[in-house]
Amino acid sequence: MAPGTVVGPGRPFGSTGLVPSALGFGGAPIAGLYEPVSDDEAGGTVHRALELGLTYLDTAPHYGRGLSEERLGRALRDVRRESYLLSTKVGRLLRPVAAGETAPSEGFAESRPFRRVRDYSRAGIVGSLEESLGRLGLERVDVAFVHDPDDFEADVYATAFPALAELRARGLVGAVGVGMNQAEMLTRFVERLDLDVVLLAGRYSLLDQLALRTLLPACRAHGVSVIVGGALNGGLLADPRPGARYDYSAAPPALVDRAARIGDICNRHGVPLLAAALQFPLGHPAVSSVLVGARSAQEVSDNATAFTTPVPDAVWADLRTAGLIGDGIPVPVGRA
């Protein structure tokens, strides 16, 4: 199967020469995030993503305790390696549970007999990548991120990044970075380490532009690319209603109202809120790709359709007038 070209290319990852699709495929949902997904559904979802040009794929050992990597590996087995980019993450090792032990699912609806162990040592980083390559059935990955080192900042400087840099020099990894849900620590990593790319989840969206304060300017200054995950803030910007998720919990009423007001302006222009939400991050020149998860082929199709739907400049102008995005916030003009 050859990937398609419905979704076009994004911006290159730093100076690596790696060019992702502008819309990427997030591999957490196919590992049963919140709801179970069958093997067949997962494989069909990955194949649909490739058919629609989502040729940048992201996964992690954390997702379903290895299930996402295994399912991606099976789906990609007969796909030409040069036709897609794949990233995974390091910092969590999977270890068998002891007799009578119950490991927390951490939001994934599966019951695999592994527990997640944080390990940002050199041995942990190298071992994590080797185990991921085994689950994926690959000899290399295009990008490796240190995953959620919120409580391990010192370990990133001392052991995790040096290990990743070594793996990059050996050709097992094409680009290295850090992936987190916060902008502040990522900014320090960008300023102090030789990173190619960062993965920022949830902090650069139509509802949250925290990354504009320090992270995005730092990335521009240091030539580091940004992948934006969580552009829908957990689902609120896909369906702004009471009870919708914001990040990983129920959305506060004030944010539900704000998302609904953004949606109303989009609707007046005949544009789905999903289209504006997915396209918004690419208005900033540091952003290479927007990463969105999907648990079914239909969700992939819906995301690709929204991402390629023209958003008139008047939508962004009306959002500014209504005070829903600030005057200094860049937007992707000229896509209509």
Side-chain angles (χ1 to χ4, degrees), residues 93-252:
L93 296 171
L94 303 179
R95 294 295 177 259
V97 296
E101 180 184 5
T102 300
S105 65
E106 299 190 37
F108 289 87
E110 39 69 33
S111 56
R112 290 162 66 79
F114 303 105
R115 56 190 174 90
R116 302 169 177 90
V117 178
R118 299 271 189 166
D119 191 340
Y120 297 90
S121 69
R122 181 189 179 282
I125 297 302
V126 174
S128 177
L129 181 65
E130 289 175 348
E131 292 170 12
S132 288
L133 291 175
R135 286 187 289 267
L136 289 162
L138 297 175
E139 296 181 352
R140 60 180 174 84
V141 295
D142 298 290
V143 187
F145 296 105
V146 181
H147 199 184
D148 292 339
D150 300 77
D151 300 320
F152 300 88
E153 182 173 3
D155 291 343
V156 174
Y157 300 121
T159 54
F161 172 75
L164 273 188
E166 176 188 329
L167 293 168
R168 179 176 58 186
R170 290 168 53 191
L172 294 176
V173 172
V176 300
V178 182
M180 304 184 74
N181 294 288
Q182 60 152 301
E184 297 86 350
M185 192 179 295
L186 275 182
T187 302
R188 294 195 290 274
F189 291 145
V190 166
E191 292 173 341
R192 301 174 189 179
L193 299 173
D194 179 24
L195 302 181
D196 301 301
V197 60
V198 295
L199 172 52
L200 175 69
R203 302 286 73 84
Y204 195 58
S205 71
L206 279 174
L207 292 173
D208 187 337
Q209 293 96 45
L210 180 64
L212 270 178
R213 296 181 187 175
T214 57
L215 178 60
L216 293 177
C219 288
R220 287 286 284 169
H222 291 270
V224 176
S225 296
V226 180
I227 300 165
V228 170
L232 304 180
N233 285 120
L236 180 57
L237 283 169
D239 184 12
R241 55 176 174 75
R245 285 192 182 93
Y246 178 78
D247 292 349
Y248 301 101
S249 57

Side-chain angles (χ1 to χ4, degrees), residues 6 10 19 25 33 90 159 193 284 295 316:
V6 173
V19 181
F25 175 81
L33 182 63
V90 293
T159 54
L193 299 173
H284 196 285
R295 69 179 62 255
W316 311 115

Side-chain angles (χ1 to χ4, degrees), residues 252-267:
L255 282 178
V256 175
D257 178 69
R258 187 176 182 87
R261 290 170 61 202
I262 295 172
D264 288 343
I265 288 176
C266 291
N267 290 337

